[in-house]
Amino acid sequence: MNIALIAHDSKKELLVQFCIAYCGILSRHNLCATGTTGKQVAQATGLNIQRYLSGSQGGDQQISARISCNEIDLLIFFRDPLHPKPHEPNEMNLLRLCDVHNIPLATNIATAEALIHALERGDLDWREIVNPR
């Protein structure tokens, strides 16, 4: 599966810790991330991550484009809901595209853990039937 990783600045360390904890599962999949997030996760875990621009420079839009082209199967996006971002309209578009294209989406650690366990069990394979490549 192709998994995208994004985290707001205040949530980057949480995503790094999440990726360390689930490195074994994540290592069996193709990972991409926005710039700084991808760099920090790769440094902490050794995972191979395709990096895009930082979110504020358009990295979230690059991931949105991959979602639109049916090239992302799962998005983990740790958001900081208490501090609005200047590029928040782009983020809302990203979330909308996940809904349009039936992409499982986690915006917090509780949902991310539920999805990662479902991924490990094979429960997310339904996307291959619904959206074959």
Side-chain angles (χ1 to χ4, degrees), residues 17-87:
Q17 293 303 315
F18 173 84
C19 290
I20 289 170
Y22 295 105
C23 189
I25 297 168
L26 293 170
S27 67
R28 297 190 297 263
H29 300 279
N30 300 314
L31 305 176
C32 68
T34 50
T36 307
T37 299
K39 180 180 179 183
Q40 290 180 3
V41 170
Q43 287 175 339
T45 63
L47 291 167
N48 183 27
I49 301 174
Q50 179 181 4
R51 289 177 47 211
Y52 293 107
L53 297 171
S54 70
S56 62
Q57 294 178 334
D60 51 348
Q61 291 176 320
Q62 290 175 299
I63 290 175
S64 291
R66 290 200 61 201
I67 290 170
S68 295
C69 294
N70 198 31
E71 296 174 354
I72 298 292
D73 302 304
L74 175 79
L75 174 61
I76 297 174
F77 180 7
F78 285 1
R79 301 173 65 225
D80 180 352
L82 301 178
H83 300 95
K85 308 293 177 279
H87 57 285

Side-chain angles (χ1 to χ4, degrees), residues 1-5 15 18 22 25-26 28-29 72-78 95 98-99 102-127:
M1 287 195 137
N2 296 320
I3 301 172
L5 306 170
L15 183 60
F18 173 84
Y22 295 105
I25 297 168
L26 293 170
R28 297 190 297 263
H29 300 279
I72 298 292
D73 302 304
L74 175 79
L75 174 61
I76 297 174
F77 180 7
F78 285 1
L95 302 179
C98 287
D99 289 340
N102 292 315
I103 304 300
L105 166 67
T107 59
N108 59 61
I109 193 152
T111 307
E113 287 187 330
L115 285 178
I116 205 81
H117 290 296
L119 180 65
E120 184 177 33
R121 289 189 308 265
D123 293 348
L124 298 180
D125 291 340
W126 64 271
R127 291 211 64 240

